[in-house]
Amino acid sequence: MIPANFTPWLLFNYWIDYKIGGLDPTTAHIHQVISVTICGLAIYWVLSHWMSTWLAASFSLFFLSTPVSYTIIQILCTRHYIEGLLYSCLSVVLLKNFIEKGGYWKLIFSAIAYFVACLNKEVYVPLFGFFTAYLTFIAINNRSWSAIRHLLPYIVIVLIYIPYRAYALGWDRLISGYGPKIEHQGITDVVNFFTRIINFNHFKGLMYSYVLLLFVSLAVVFKANKLKTLGIFMVGASFAVGVLVPAYPVMPTARVNYNYTFVAVFVMLLLPVLWANILCRSKKLNLGINLLLIIAFSFSTYKNLSVYNPQSPLAKANLHRDIFKRTKVEGEAFLFAERSFSILKPAGAKWHHAGLYDIRERVLQSETGPKACYKICDCPKSKAIFAYSDGELTKVETGKETCN
C-alpha cells in the first residue's frame, strides 16, 4: 500500500483513532478538531516571533478561514496537510530559538520536526528552501557565513527523504508523485497555478495590496541602505525560486485538486506580511502597516465565516443537506449488511467504497456484503439492487432500463 510508506504519519493518525474509538468516526472528528486547533496556535506561535501578537493572531484566523483551508479542514483524509503545517511551524520556532539562544538539541529537534512534516505530506519538503534563505539572511546581516553550517541537519534529512520517496514511488515518479501523470503546459501552467489560487480564494484585491506593500517596504530599506536592500532582494528572490522549482513539475495538479495549493496559499499570504515587518523598522510606518493588515485580515475572516462559501468541493455537495445521513446509511450497509446486494450510485468516491470493502473483509472478517455499482446496466443481474431514498435504502425495480 503506497500510503503506508509514502505518508506514514497519516496512517499512524488513523491507527490512533482506531485504537481509541474503533470504527466509530466520532474519535476521528474530535482528533481533527484538536489538530486544527493546535495548528492554528502553532501558526500564531511561530509568527509572533516576527510580528505583533495581534497581527499574528489575525493572520492565523484569516488563513484558517480561507476557502482552501475550509476544504482541507472538513475532509478527514487531508488531516496530514494540517499536521504537516503544525510540525513545520515547530521546526521553524526551534531553529529561530537555537539561533538566538543556542542549544544544539533545538537544532536537532528542529530537523526531526521537519522530517515528520515531510512524512505527513511531501508538500513540506521545500521548507528546506526557507531554512536556506533564513540562515543566508542571518549570514548577510552578520557579515559571516558561519550560520550556513547549521543547514547540515536539514541536508541529512533531505538525503534520507529522497531515497525513501524513491523506494515508495519508484525513481521514475520521484517528482511527479503517485497520481496520474498530467502533461505539463510550461509557462501556461505556472500562470494558471497562481491564477487559480487567487481566484479560488478571492485574493484579487489582497494581492494588489500585497504588491504595493512590498514596494513600499523595499523603498524604505533602499533609502536607508542600498547594499542591504540588494542583499535582501537576492535572498527573497532565491527563496521564491527555491519554492517554485520543486512545485513546478506538479503545478498541473491545481487543475485537478485545490488541496495541493494549501501550502502555496500559506506561503503567498505570509511572505509579504513577513517582509513588511522585517524591513520596515520605522515604528510609525510599522504600526500603520500592522493596523492596515489586521483590519484587512479581520474583515476577510468575518466575510469567510459569515458567508456560506460555495467554492469548497464539500460545500457544493452539502447544498444537498441529506448527504451526511446518506453517507452514514450507505456506509453502515457496506460494513455491516450480512447479505450480498448492489448499492446504486452511492455517495463518495470509488476509493472510499473500496476502503469500506477492505475494512469489512480485514477488520470485521466478513466476506459477504454489498458492493457499489455506478451504472444500473453494470450491476450484477443475479443480485438485488438498492438505492438511497428518503433516509433509507430501497429496492430498485429493474427490467425497464435501456443499456445500449
Side-chain angles (χ1 to χ4, degrees):
M1 294 174 65
I2 288 175
N5 297 313
F6 190 47
T7 55
W9 211 260
L10 180 62
L11 273 291
F12 175 60
N13 267 261
Y14 291 160
W15 177 82
I16 292 172
D17 295 344
Y18 178 68
K19 287 297 180 182
I20 295 173
L23 294 180
D24 183 352
T26 303
T27 304
H29 285 281
I30 293 172
H31 191 159
Q32 185 88 344
V33 171
I34 292 171
S35 293
V36 171
T37 303
I38 297 176
C39 181
L41 293 173
I43 295 170
Y44 164 76
W45 185 37
V46 71
L47 297 190
S48 64
H49 286 74
W50 276 285
M51 59 185 70
S52 73
T53 54
W54 283 102
L55 182 57
S58 62
F59 178 89
S60 302
L61 290 171
F62 167 60
F63 173 68
L64 290 178
S65 73
T66 57
V68 67
S69 297
Y70 178 82
T71 301
I72 292 285
I73 288 168
Q74 285 195 77
I75 306 175
L76 292 176
C77 64
T78 53
R79 185 190 297 154
H80 51 327
Y81 285 86
I82 298 165
E83 294 198 353
L85 184 56
L86 190 164
Y87 286 105
S88 298
C89 289
L90 176 61
S91 180
V92 171
V93 168
L94 286 169
L95 174 60
K96 189 174 191 299
N97 201 272
F98 162 73
I99 294 296
E100 293 174 350
K101 299 179 181 178
Y104 272 95
W105 66 269
K106 297 173 187 174
L107 182 63
I108 300 302
F109 275 100
S110 172
I112 292 172
Y114 168 54
F115 189 48
V116 173
C118 296
L119 296 181
N120 268 279
K121 188 65 181 171
E122 70 278 8
V123 292
Y124 294 103
V125 175
L127 184 62
F128 180 79
F130 169 81
F131 298 134
T132 304
Y134 178 53
L135 292 172
T136 305
F137 183 78
I138 291 170
I140 290 173
N141 266 359
N142 297 340
R143 298 176 183 271
S144 169
W145 291 100
S146 60
I148 301 299
R149 72 178 187 274
H150 301 317
L151 270 176
L152 183 59
Y154 305 105
I155 293 173
V156 171
I157 295 301
V158 171
L159 291 177
I160 293 172
Y161 181 79
I162 290 173
Y164 174 81
R165 181 181 172 91
Y167 159 73
L169 301 178
W171 286 101
D172 59 322
R173 288 187 170 273
L174 188 63
I175 295 176
S176 63
Y178 58 85
K181 291 185 178 181
I182 306 173
E183 185 179 350
H184 205 298
Q185 297 179 2
I187 191 65
T188 304
D189 261 326
V190 176
V191 174
N192 285 343
F193 183 73
F194 291 107
T195 302
R196 285 171 180 269
I197 286 175
I198 292 168
N199 289 342
F200 180 71
N201 293 284
H202 315 297
F203 286 160
K204 284 183 180 178
L206 190 63
M207 288 298 119
Y208 293 134
S209 304
Y210 269 18
V211 170
L212 179 62
L213 192 66
L214 279 175
F215 276 110
V216 169
S217 305
L218 286 173
V220 169
V221 179
F222 184 78
K223 187 176 179 181
N225 190 327
K226 295 180 182 179
L227 185 62
K228 185 178 179 182
T229 305
L230 180 62
I232 290 170
F233 181 79
M234 291 300 292
V235 171
S238 300
F239 176 68
V241 171
V243 170
L244 184 63
V245 169
Y248 176 81
V250 293
M251 281 183 173
T253 56
R255 294 183 245 148
V256 180
N257 196 331
Y258 282 103
N259 293 351
Y260 301 132
T261 69
F262 180 71
V263 177
V265 170
F266 182 74
V267 173
M268 284 176 64
L269 286 172
L270 179 59
L271 273 183
V273 180
L274 211 52
W275 268 41
N277 271 267
I278 292 172
L279 299 183
C280 296
R281 291 302 179 187
S282 164
K283 286 187 177 180
K284 288 184 178 180
L285 184 59
N286 194 271
L287 181 63
I289 288 173
N290 273 255
L291 188 61
L292 178 67
L293 288 171
I294 288 170
I295 293 171
F297 291 147
S298 299
F299 175 77
S300 298
T301 302
Y302 171 77
K303 184 178 178 184
N304 286 338
L305 295 179
S306 62
V307 179
Y308 193 69
N309 196 327
Q311 293 298 319
S312 165
L314 273 189
K316 292 175 183 177
N318 294 349
L319 292 175
H320 174 48
R321 298 305 300 174
D322 199 34
I323 190 70
F324 298 112
K325 186 173 182 181
R326 176 179 177 179
T327 304
K328 184 176 182 181
V329 169
E330 292 173 342
E332 287 182 341
F334 280 127
L335 289 175
F336 305 117
E338 296 180 354
R339 61 193 184 93
S340 181
F341 58 90
S342 298
I343 299 179
L344 181 63
K345 297 179 182 178
K350 291 182 179 181
W351 55 261
H352 168 66
H353 309 138
L356 293 174
Y357 306 156
D358 283 343
I359 291 173
R360 184 179 70 211
E361 293 173 7
R362 300 183 188 192
V363 180
L364 301 177
Q365 302 293 312
S366 175
E367 295 182 1
T368 59
K371 291 283 183 77
C373 62
Y374 305 97
K375 294 180 181 178
I376 194 166
C377 295
D378 295 335
C379 298
K381 304 299 183 193
S382 58
K383 296 181 181 179
I385 303 171
F386 286 78
Y388 180 83
S389 178
D390 297 325
E392 59 182 2
L393 291 175
T394 56
K395 193 170 182 179
V396 176
E397 297 296 330
T398 58
K400 298 179 180 179
E401 63 278 355
T402 303
C403 296
N404 296 329

